[in-house]
Amino acid sequence: MRTIRNFFTSSLSLLLLAGSVSAQKTARTVTDSTMQAVYEQVKTPYKYGLVVAPENNAKKMDCPTVFRQDGKWYMTYVIFDGRGYETWLSSSDDLLNWKTQGRLMSFTDSTQWDGSQKAGYPALQEPTWGGNYKLQKYKKQYWMPYFGGAKSGYEAGDLAISMAFTSKKPSTAHEWKRLPQPIFTSKDVDVRWWENKKLFKPTVIWDKEKTTGYPFVMYYNANGDSNANRKSWYERIGMAVSEDMVHWKRFQKEPVMDHFTGITGDAVFQKMGDLWVMFYFGAFWGERKDAYNRFACSYDLVNWTDWKGDDLIKASEPYDNRFAHKSYVVHHNGVTYHFYCAVNTADQRGIAVATSKDLGKSSVNFVAAAK
């Protein structure tokens, strides 16, 4: 891991430090120069290509999460096979070549509230940009929030959020234990207007400075409606907080990220100095028909400054020419890797990566579609 002294020798760090002082005086705004400096660090103009693809066209892969343990890299992702989502694990030595390890959360009895849907995202990763990317234990457990549901089909029926956990290494393929009931549902008495339909991807960070007053902060996207003439299928990102990873409460009534059109969702985080960077995806904003990855920045985890420049990732290749979205970004040995969900016009769906340096092209491809 880089030392604090070395980190602050970079021009980016100087801008972040200046931005922090400025933010304290200006209601936590992030300067344009800081946003530009972050963009220069996180941009990945070289598309390497698919790194994980489904074994057949009946399956679709989605939502990568990348972490490091014992000198190797691991990626979780979800697979949809017609019934619903299961959570899987792959491993890699170099972030480019991946080998499937097995399931982490599988289908269970259809009478359970989450029997047909278990889309999980490992939590409490050490957040430092260019850091060790390890998952941290809390109370001797690793943690993984997930959204689940009982009904079969693509994101069908009621979808709610709960928590899985394990004392075993997260680098081994095994079934994680789960809380018996959801943490949040769209039927809760305190449900917000923007989440009264379906709840989707949760991400949990460990903020040891307790910026919000709590150590654990969850971001999740959901759709809903209100009397404000908003579209009920639009998705927005909101917050929840916890003292113990088990008992959670909604943080505020309004979402923290809302573009008032289409989808804003699937937030993941890195920390550059004292600046938090949220990577998220947008879809169908205004007249746009595609899906794409963006970012925003904050000093307080609540007020976010949105990047106004180019998309970080967007559709451009045969394997992602429909959607290129749902980020997971790591910075290792001077190279930024931006993993994302690639969807083509044949509706094949896999995990691809783009990089800040040209590392060549992947040999992984989708299975040829039947003609």
Side-chain angles (χ1 to χ4, degrees):
M1 183 186 299
R2 290 178 293 174
T3 64
I4 295 297
R5 178 177 58 82
N6 289 337
F7 182 82
F8 279 98
T9 61
S10 70
S11 59
L12 171 64
S13 301
L14 294 175
L15 282 168
L16 296 179
L17 181 60
S20 177
V21 174
S22 174
Q24 295 174 18
K25 298 178 180 179
T26 59
R28 300 183 177 93
T29 58
V30 184
T31 65
D32 290 344
S33 58
T34 298
M35 294 297 292
Q36 183 66 43
V38 172
Y39 174 71
E40 295 301 324
Q41 281 284 299
V42 304
K43 66 181 181 181
T44 52
Y46 303 100
K47 285 189 174 180
Y48 177 76
L50 291 170
V51 291
V52 184
E55 61 190 23
N56 60 59
N57 291 323
K59 295 185 178 181
K60 304 179 189 303
M61 293 177 167
D62 212 339
C63 298
T65 299
V66 178
F67 63 93
R68 190 167 173 83
Q69 183 175 357
D70 299 330
K72 289 179 69 72
W73 294 95
Y74 297 89
M75 180 198 301
T76 66
Y77 46 86
V78 299
I79 294 181
F80 175 78
D81 71 347
R83 176 178 173 179
Y85 286 133
E86 294 181 299
T87 305
W88 286 69
L89 179 73
S90 285
S91 64
S92 175
D93 292 320
D94 61 3
L95 289 166
L96 298 178
N97 299 281
W98 294 85
K99 182 178 180 181
T100 301
Q101 300 298 307
R103 292 178 178 87
L104 302 181
M105 286 196 290
S106 306
F107 298 134
T108 49
D109 193 302
S110 59
T111 63
Q112 294 180 308
W113 77 268
D114 59 357
S116 294
Q117 311 280 348
K118 295 184 185 69
Y121 314 94
L124 309 188
Q125 186 175 54
E126 204 288 319
T128 303
W129 179 253
N132 61 35
Y133 293 104
K134 293 180 179 179
L135 302 181
Q136 302 173 92
K137 276 187 174 181
Y138 172 70
K139 290 188 175 179
K140 300 182 180 180
Q141 303 283 346
Y142 294 101
W143 299 83
M144 179 163 55
Y146 70 101
F147 74 82
K151 190 172 181 179
S152 296
Y154 182 73
E155 298 180 352
D158 292 333
L159 298 175
I161 291 173
S162 193
M163 191 71 66
F165 53 93
T166 185
S167 59
K168 299 179 181 179
K169 286 188 176 182
S171 56
T172 60
H174 66 281
E175 293 290 331
W176 289 45
K177 298 177 181 179
R178 310 185 312 282
L179 297 180
Q181 298 296 328
I183 294 168
F184 293 126
T185 79
S186 61
K187 306 294 192 299
D188 295 336
V189 294
D190 63 342
V191 71
R192 302 339 191 191
W193 65 266
W194 53 272
E195 56 170 349
N196 58 21
K197 297 295 184 184
K198 295 176 187 285
L199 309 185
F200 296 106
K201 179 177 179 175
T203 294
V204 176
I205 61 173
W206 191 346
D207 175 29
K208 296 180 180 180
E209 296 179 358
K210 296 186 178 181
T211 308
T212 63
Y214 295 84
F216 304 114
V217 184
M218 177 189 294
Y219 295 82
Y220 61 101
N221 45 302
N223 57 22
D225 56 22
S226 71
N227 296 324
N229 197 30
R230 298 177 172 98
K231 299 286 188 180
S232 64
W233 65 269
Y234 287 179
E235 290 183 34
R236 306 154 178 96
I237 299 171
M239 291 176 63
V241 292
S242 175
E243 294 279 7
D244 62 5
M245 289 294 290
V246 174
H247 302 92
W248 291 83
K249 63 180 180 179
R250 291 168 167 91
F251 187 69
Q252 59 185 23
K253 291 184 178 181
E254 295 298 315
V256 295
M257 185 66 69
D258 184 358
H259 289 89
F260 307 98
T261 182
I263 296 174
T264 302
D266 287 30
V268 295
F269 300 86
Q270 298 268 289
K271 195 175 187 185
M272 298 180 175
D274 59 355
L275 183 73
W276 288 93
V277 181
M278 173 198 291
F279 299 96
Y280 68 92
F281 87 92
F284 318 123
W285 294 357
E287 298 301 315
R288 293 188 68 167
K289 305 299 182 183
D290 56 341
Y292 30 85
N293 287 340
R294 313 268 315 159
F295 77 94
C297 295
S298 175
Y299 293 108
D300 63 7
L301 293 172
V302 179
N303 299 284
W304 293 88
T305 299
D306 213 10
W307 169 245
K308 302 300 183 184
D310 294 338
D311 299 328
L312 294 180
I313 298 287
K314 62 182 179 181
S316 66
E317 302 295 332
Y319 53 83
D320 69 5
N321 56 9
R322 184 181 181 197
F323 302 141
H325 64 329
K326 301 182 180 180
S327 297
Y328 211 87
V329 183
V330 301
H331 185 75
H332 179 65
N333 286 344
V335 179
T336 301
Y337 298 80
H338 189 142
F339 295 88
Y340 65 98
C341 177
V343 186
N344 64 14
T345 54
D347 202 30
Q348 295 172 304
R349 185 177 292 246
I351 307 301
V353 69
T355 58
S356 58
K357 296 181 180 179
D358 188 353
L359 301 180
K361 295 296 181 182
S362 173
S363 60
V364 177
N365 294 286
F366 288 122
V367 176
K371 295 183 178 179

